[in-house]
Amino acid sequence: MPRQFKAWNDLPRVMYRDFLRRLAYNAGMDPFQAGAGRPKSESRGEMDGWLRDGGLVVTASDRAARAITAEFHGARQAEGLAAWPAPNVLDWKSFVRAGWEKRALDSRLLLNSTQEQALWDNIAGDGRQLATLLDGPSHRLAGMAMEAHSLLCAYAPRFLEMAARVSWVQDAGAFSGWLAAFDELCRADSLLSPSRLPLELIPLLKRDQPPLLLAGFDRILPVQRRFFDAWGQWREAASAQPARQIRLNEATDTQAELAACAIWCGRRITANPHSRLLVVTQDAGKRRGEIERAFLKHAGHRASDSGGSRLFEFSLGVPLSRVGLAAGAHLVLRWLSGPIAEQELDWLLSTGQIAISPQEPSALQGYMRALRRRGLERTHWTLADFINQSCRQRPPASWVGRMLEAQRRLRDFYQRTQSPINWAELVPQLLETVGWPGYRPLASFEYQAFNRWQQALETAGSLGFDGRRMDWQEFLSVLRRILDETLFAPESTGAPVQIAGPAESAGLTADAVWFLDANEDAWPAGGVLHPLLPPVVQREAGMPHATPQLDWELGRAITSRLLAAAPEVHFSYASQHEEVEARPSPLIVQLAGSPQPLPPEL
């Protein structure tokens, strides 16, 4: 069997220290499952008792699993215990994977997302579609095909049979052909998509399993319901009582809205340093810089520093390619085989990531300044050009020796195509030779980024599962794409203010919640039909964004969960959004009443 690499797609598994002292569990859009045979849980105390008795809890997300685990450990510490059994809490994906590893009757290779997308890329490329002629559009089209396959598995598995798709035409017809080719390839090479795991497991389950308690599910998908029913007894944990104080605020514009939220958070924490606040916002990734600037400006001195800890932190990570350590590693690999921009070189030299002593960074930056004084600057630098300039000041000899040795090692491989596995094994040797990640001991954040980089590199190497070969530049391109698609979030520092998206907030509670962007265009969040699946199939199966009613119902479920997450919940929206007049979300108005102007103190 081809060598298999582990895929690390989950965020680092950590426990939140002190965060979220209370925990509320949402029952989701659907009522308690009568088929489970027991009444719905009446209090969160039953969750703690369930875990103490060794019961199994399945959560909708890894973040919710971490929050429940942290709450359980915090409760045991508060009881004065020195040791106790770990709670049995698994997120949905881990739960299904563990079930497969226990019950699998064959030796099929379980694909990771990168491997599966590579298969879809090859299949779509064989179809000679115009979008597959360029690498970027081809990769995106493969991602869309993989998403369409996942939707069918979760909502309408009967269409996985070719006979059920005979009437599909145009783009859906093209995808139907790709799906048939994908199924045949998986059968021939003994491969298995993670999207198929629940369907593969359902026939293997017996209804004599230990009961399940579900937490954090805003919506139970059809395949999940079938899975739980085949498992046996299950139920959703009860939600807490809805918030006692609910308010909808109207701001003049988005900047005023963010400023009000930041001021509110700063004053709440100043009044009670032990408070835990949750700020929920859509597009947290895109607005991260804007939100951070507002908090640093308006939340008071604690936003930047308070005894070494920050006032706020984001629950959603950033692309690994934007994290300094990973960006530096990839830049070094590029430089060993080609030119990099002068500003990239300036940044790399300043980080000390390729220095083995404190003297080397200053010497290298001094050398660059000397080149500029002589008018030798250029837009791009190869390694050879940088080392061989005619200048009285020279880069450190030991540094030059290390860089040339790494380049020589790469050159021995460079002229031949290799398996991604071989390239992935070579990269750590090259980085170690040049001295990466530098002479300084890694801080906690950097050490986590270092581990995440290694996992991304391992994922790139896993593309050798089917015997494919690629040249160095293609491997670098694949590695960069994986870094772009891998989210990195450091361990929680226990900041009193957590900033999360609506979906990421599942399983989290706080003393108070502030929900941003509650306007009619943004909430409930809308979307478009999937372009590779027939609209009628999506509507009949209730797939995401198939109808406005489905979006409304999901938005209402998430909103109801947030109302049960804290005794006090604030919604806000900007009456002027992107120079267009905006109105409040009708869904929020139903729950919170008419909007009120921001209080004068905000």
Side-chain angles (χ1 to χ4, degrees), residues 3-167:
R3 180 176 178 180
Q4 181 181 7
F5 277 70
K6 290 178 64 179
W8 293 82
N9 298 316
D10 296 330
L11 297 176
R13 300 183 65 84
V14 299
M15 291 186 298
Y16 290 112
R17 297 186 300 270
D18 299 329
F19 182 54
L20 310 179
R21 293 171 297 165
R22 300 175 301 104
L23 208 62
Y25 301 96
N26 177 54
M29 292 172 57
D30 300 296
F32 169 69
Q33 305 305 313
R38 290 179 61 186
K40 189 172 182 177
S41 170
E42 294 296 332
S43 69
R44 56 178 288 271
E46 186 178 358
M47 171 68 74
D48 189 73
W50 182 276
L51 292 174
R52 294 192 70 166
D53 291 340
L56 174 59
V57 173
V58 179
T59 67
S61 66
D62 180 59
R63 185 172 303 281
R66 294 200 305 268
I68 292 174
T69 301
E71 173 75 6
F72 181 86
H73 289 309
R76 303 292 79 76
Q77 289 176 330
E79 293 170 355
L81 298 180
W84 54 87
N88 196 3
V89 184
L90 290 174
D91 65 273
W92 163 250
K93 290 183 179 179
S94 299
F95 174 62
V96 173
R97 184 181 291 265
W100 175 254
E101 293 172 353
K102 180 179 179 180
R103 298 173 177 82
L105 303 177
D106 56 54
S107 57
R108 281 179 289 177
L109 173 66
L110 183 61
L111 299 167
N112 62 41
S113 60
T114 300
Q115 292 169 330
E116 181 174 351
Q117 189 157 357
L119 293 181
W120 286 108
D121 202 345
N122 291 341
I123 292 169
D126 290 342
R128 301 282 190 262
Q129 269 72 22
L130 184 62
T132 65
L133 300 180
L134 299 175
D135 180 64
S138 173
H139 184 73
R140 288 192 291 272
L141 185 60
M144 291 169 59
M146 187 167 69
E147 182 183 30
H149 171 241
S150 179
L151 287 171
L152 289 181
C153 292
Y155 288 88
R158 68 185 182 90
F159 288 102
L160 295 175
E161 297 295 332
M162 185 65 183
R165 306 193 304 268
V166 293
S167 62

Side-chain angles (χ1 to χ4, degrees), residues 335-340 342 345 367-368 371 376-391 393-395 399-400 403-404 407 411:
W335 200 25
L336 292 177
S337 58
I340 61 175
E342 186 168 278
L345 179 55
Y367 174 61
M368 177 63 82
L371 294 179
L376 298 176
E377 64 268 20
R378 55 179 65 188
T379 58
H380 289 78
W381 288 94
T382 64
L383 179 59
D385 288 339
F386 183 72
I387 291 174
N388 297 324
Q389 291 300 307
S390 300
C391 183
Q393 188 170 346
R394 304 295 302 159
W399 179 87
V400 172
M403 299 299 294
L404 293 179
Q407 196 173 56
R411 192 177 295 118

Side-chain angles (χ1 to χ4, degrees), residues 194-323:
S195 298
R196 299 280 182 113
L197 273 186
L199 298 171
E200 294 281 341
L201 266 173
I202 287 173
L204 305 179
L205 296 176
K206 300 178 181 179
R207 292 183 57 87
D208 58 355
Q209 309 296 330
L212 298 179
L213 193 62
L214 310 186
F217 285 82
D218 292 319
R219 169 169 55 187
I220 296 180
L221 306 183
V223 72
Q224 292 173 331
R225 189 177 301 281
R226 285 180 54 192
F227 186 98
F228 294 140
D229 287 340
W231 178 275
Q233 289 190 337
W234 64 280
R235 67 173 178 273
E236 293 182 82
S239 59
Q241 294 297 319
R244 296 186 300 270
Q245 180 180 346
I246 307 173
R247 182 183 177 93
L248 173 59
N249 292 316
E250 178 185 322
T252 55
D253 54 40
T254 56
Q255 296 303 313
E257 183 187 15
L258 278 179
C261 178
I263 293 170
W264 177 79
C265 289
R267 292 185 176 182
R268 291 291 297 258
I269 299 303
T270 299
N272 182 3
H274 299 291
S275 293
R276 293 293 180 263
L277 307 179
L278 176 61
V279 175
V280 180
T281 178
Q282 300 175 78
D283 297 326
K286 295 179 181 178
R287 302 189 65 190
R288 188 186 186 102
E290 181 185 8
I291 294 171
E292 188 161 6
R293 287 190 297 272
F295 270 78
L296 292 174
K297 180 178 180 181
H298 299 289
H301 69 282
R302 280 205 49 158
S304 57
D305 185 13
S306 176
S309 63
R310 300 191 72 180
L311 171 73
F312 65 95
E313 63 185 11
F314 289 85
S315 296
L316 188 64
V318 298
L320 190 57
S321 58
R322 289 166 50 189
V323 177

Side-chain angles (χ1 to χ4, degrees), residues 431-480:
L431 294 176
E432 183 180 6
T433 300
V434 303
W436 183 89
Y439 63 92
R440 294 183 299 102
L442 296 180
S444 174
F445 171 89
E446 294 171 318
Y447 183 73
Q448 295 168 54
F450 177 83
N451 288 335
R452 200 72 171 126
W453 155 263
Q454 291 181 312
Q455 294 162 8
L457 180 62
E458 191 176 80
T459 300
S462 73
L463 287 176
F465 76 105
D466 59 354
R468 72 181 62 202
R469 302 174 71 84
M470 59 181 62
D471 61 29
W472 173 246
Q473 295 302 329
E474 184 180 358
F475 179 78
L476 284 183
S477 177
V478 167
L479 180 57
R480 174 60 191 231

